[in-house]
Amino acid sequence: MAYSPPNTFSATAVIVAADVQENLDEIKKYVNGSAVGGDLKSSSLWVEPKHIVQGYYNPLSNMHDFVSGVSGGMMSDPDDESWICDGPTARASPSSPDRVCYPNAGIEFYLESSADVLFKIHATPITPDDAKGSALWSRVYMFLDETQISSTKMYTSNAKNSSPTETDPGGLWRQWHNFYISKNLAAGWHSLTLRGYTTYRYSYLVDWGCTMEAYYL
Amino acid sequence: MSRIVNDNFGPAGRTTTAVKANAKFTAVATATSSLSEVNVRHEGIDARNLADNYIVVKSIYADNDNSSEDFQYNMVGTYGGAFEVNHTGSSPSAGSGLLLDMSSSPMVLKNNDLLRIFHACVLTQDDGYGRVTQPATDYFMITFPVWDITSASLSNFETLPAHDSDLNNAATTQVDIDLEANKSGGIALYAMTGRNVVSGTDFLMRRNGMSVWHYKHGGADQTIYGIRINANGPYQYVQIGTSVRGWEQVTVSSTGITHVKMSHGHVGALQMRGGQP
């Protein structure tokens, strides 16, 4: 709301320096970030093109910076694949498999101030079957910075087992899509990554992408 | 706003009056009540602040994340029918489920506001109900958002606009799907096909489902007290007549799968608004 002086002076009283200073301090607070939408002139439209900031587009990171937030994302190229292996993840069935990043499947971004941020991802994961006859799968999670978002858990399972009569056409070609909304994410650098593990020799993604929309609070 | 006229006080040694001091601060107060082009320079505003470029008015998010991999939601019984995707564990508390509770601070959609509802879950066969066989038909389960626009008691959840109301019917019903009044947008489908592992008791029916519902509100203000994720099924795809497609509810026993569990669910919503329509 508009600036309101905390002290009003009287003709019959001494003007106290501390009161004047308090009034000035309130002005400083207002100018430094307390103006709100309700303070804007509404009697007529006054915005002209010169007042509009177009936003800055960074073609390297595919990020578009606005005064009110940041948008961006990445899409894999048509022939790209992003691989993880069981070597550093879930080989020999550890109780707590290590999660590793799917290469080139994340984004980094910078927030000028705290923001509500929407993330969306999609991917086609493939975890082949090797007729081992055991449960083979991969799992993936969205990670915001170094924090696993457990509710974004996504699976694959093997395409078929050793029984030759059963097939699962949906086993190989699954679709992953998920989202996350981070409320009041702090200013500064952040990253969104896809991290997971696999019990098969390898698992990989084709046709993946992720987007983010940040809205400054 | 206007520019503030800088009415300086006199040089050192001269006296001032309360009137001048008050006038100084009143000028600031008056000016800051109506900021305008006079006050906008380098920082400015950007295109997303203007009409048809949306910014977030309200955001809300809920999940069942307790850093465990075992939390789960309730299961389908012996027959289908809509049910709430409720949490059965202790953290968060049982029954809280995938609910965006706005009863204490309702979301109010204005004309031309955009509401985006996201949700995702994982569907698996529960290990405790034995081995099952591969379904002969591609049956599927669904999850979908419903909202309570009646009261803060959150006891009147109903289907969203452009969804068949039978989606949220507890009885066995057929769901119509078309491109107008009975759209499928916002509904997540979970195929019930999967694999038996050789050891025999686990059924690898692991399906991720996610969907997004976009709704541009028109007309008078619409108050929303809560958004919940419900589930229904099993269904199979059918053709009804010559032009209508739909999902026909089938008995659980016919699928060969007696129970499923929903886990790793989360739901979020963004209310977005542009400038003047």
Side-chain angles (χ1 to χ4, degrees):
Chain A
M1 58 182 299
Y3 166 77
S4 177
N7 300 297
T8 303
F9 304 107
S10 166
T12 59
V14 175
I15 298 176
V16 179
D19 291 343
V20 175
Q21 187 60 50
E22 186 179 7
N23 282 8
L24 294 172
D25 286 345
E26 286 300 310
I27 294 176
K28 180 179 70 177
K29 291 179 183 176
Y30 180 86
V31 172
N32 287 348
S34 295
V36 298
D39 297 344
L40 300 181
K41 177 184 175 183
S42 58
S43 57
S44 62
L45 299 177
W46 53 268
V47 174
E48 301 174 26
K50 67 180 180 181
H51 302 121
I52 300 175
V53 179
Q54 295 300 321
Y56 168 71
Y57 176 67
N58 184 333
L60 295 178
S61 60
N62 195 32
M63 287 287 167
H64 210 149
D65 287 285
F66 299 93
V67 173
S68 56
V70 185
S71 291
M74 64 85 58
M75 292 281 288
S76 64
D77 290 331
D79 296 327
D80 274 355
E81 296 172 350
S82 179
W83 290 60
I84 64 171
C85 298
D86 67 340
T89 60
R91 191 164 192 164
S93 303
S95 57
S96 298
D98 290 331
R99 278 75 162 153
V100 299
C101 286
Y102 278 91
N104 193 32
I107 52 175
E108 301 85 35
F109 56 96
Y110 184 80
L111 298 179
E112 296 283 353
S113 64
S114 58
D116 285 348
V117 188
L118 166 68
F119 302 98
K120 290 188 291 185
I121 68 101
H122 71 271
T124 301
I126 297 176
T127 304
D129 172 61
D130 69 346
K132 285 171 58 179
S134 59
L136 304 173
W137 65 80
S138 62
R139 291 182 184 172
V140 72
Y141 300 85
M142 294 168 69
F143 271 66
L144 178 56
D145 300 325
E146 295 304 309
T147 302
Q148 173 179 298
I149 312 300
S150 294
S151 53
T152 62
K153 181 179 182 179
M154 292 166 281
Y155 289 99
T156 63
S157 57
N158 55 326
K160 60 181 180 180
N161 60 28
S162 59
S163 172
T165 61
E166 296 180 347
T167 59
D168 178 10
L172 268 176
W173 291 91
R174 294 183 179 237
Q175 295 294 319
W176 282 343
H177 17 247
N178 223 311
F179 78 101
Y180 180 60
I181 294 176
S182 177
K183 293 178 63 65
N184 198 21
L185 186 61
W189 282 102
H190 296 280
S191 66
L192 179 82
T193 51
L194 296 180
R195 305 187 192 186
Y197 61 88
T198 181
T199 62
Y200 182 56
R201 298 287 182 266
Y202 57 86
S203 179
Y204 61 98
L205 306 180
V206 296
D207 296 325
W208 71 92
C210 57
T211 64
M212 58 85 63
E213 305 169 33
Y215 300 91
Y216 293 141
L217 299 175
Chain B
M1 172 174 159
S2 54
R3 297 182 190 281
I4 299 173
V5 177
N6 195 10
D7 184 11
N8 291 324
F9 299 111
R14 296 180 64 178
T15 59
T16 185
T17 67
V19 172
K20 286 189 174 182
N22 287 333
K24 188 78 170 179
F25 294 112
T26 300
V28 177
T30 301
T32 57
S33 67
S34 183
L35 301 177
S36 66
E37 71 277 12
V38 175
N39 314 108
V40 175
R41 281 296 180 268
H42 298 296
E43 292 189 355
I45 58 177
D46 63 41
R48 299 202 307 181
N49 297 119
L50 303 180
D52 294 331
N53 295 279
Y54 293 98
I55 58 175
V56 171
V57 179
K58 186 181 186 72
S59 66
I60 185 168
Y61 176 81
D63 63 28
N64 60 356
D65 182 7
N66 62 357
S67 73
S68 165
E69 296 199 2
D70 296 324
F71 44 84
Q72 65 184 49
Y73 290 122
N74 57 357
M75 303 173 186
V76 178
T78 54
Y79 213 106
F83 64 96
E84 297 174 351
V85 182
N86 275 331
H87 189 66
T88 56
S90 58
S91 177
S93 60
S96 56
L98 292 182
L99 170 66
L100 300 178
D101 186 347
M102 297 179 283
S103 57
S104 61
S105 178
M107 176 186 291
V108 180
L109 294 180
K110 301 286 187 181
N111 187 38
N112 287 315
D113 275 7
L114 178 67
L115 175 61
R116 306 161 74 187
I117 301 175
F118 309 86
H119 83 276
C121 288
V122 173
L123 178 81
T124 53
Q125 157 74 13
D126 187 81
D127 297 347
Y129 289 88
R131 178 172 177 163
V132 293
T133 56
Q134 174 88 2
T137 303
D138 285 337
Y139 300 114
F140 58 92
M141 298 287 294
I142 63 170
T143 56
F144 55 96
V146 291
W147 66 11
D148 191 328
I149 55 176
T150 303
S151 73
S153 66
L154 300 183
S155 57
N156 297 283
F157 283 96
E158 55 189 273
T159 46
L160 303 175
H163 277 176
D164 187 344
S165 60
D166 285 334
L167 272 180
N168 202 37
N169 196 323
T172 304
T173 52
Q174 172 183 284
V175 175
D176 293 342
I177 297 297
D178 57 39
L179 298 177
E180 297 178 358
N182 304 304
K183 295 179 180 177
S184 59
I187 304 170
L189 277 67
Y190 306 80
M192 296 175 75
T193 56
R195 299 305 306 159
N196 297 329
V197 297
V198 169
S199 57
T201 58
D202 196 7
F203 190 77
L204 295 179
M205 181 179 64
R206 293 167 171 162
R207 297 292 174 177
N208 293 92
M210 179 201 166
S211 198
V212 184
W213 188 72
H214 289 171
Y215 170 65
K216 186 171 183 178
H217 177 64
D221 290 0
Q222 176 65 66
T223 302
I224 304 172
Y225 300 95
I227 296 170
R228 179 182 283 287
I229 300 303
N230 281 1
N232 208 337
Y235 288 107
Q236 68 178 120
Y237 181 84
V238 294
Q239 178 168 343
I240 307 164
T242 57
S243 60
V244 178
R245 270 66 173 172
W247 303 332
E248 184 176 65
Q249 204 155 34
V250 296
T251 60
V252 172
S253 58
S254 69
T255 68
I257 298 173
T258 56
H259 288 75
V260 295
K261 70 178 181 181
M262 313 293 296
S263 64
H264 299 82
H266 55 156
V267 55
L270 296 177
Q271 178 192 6
M272 315 189 79
R273 183 175 300 160
Q276 298 189 12

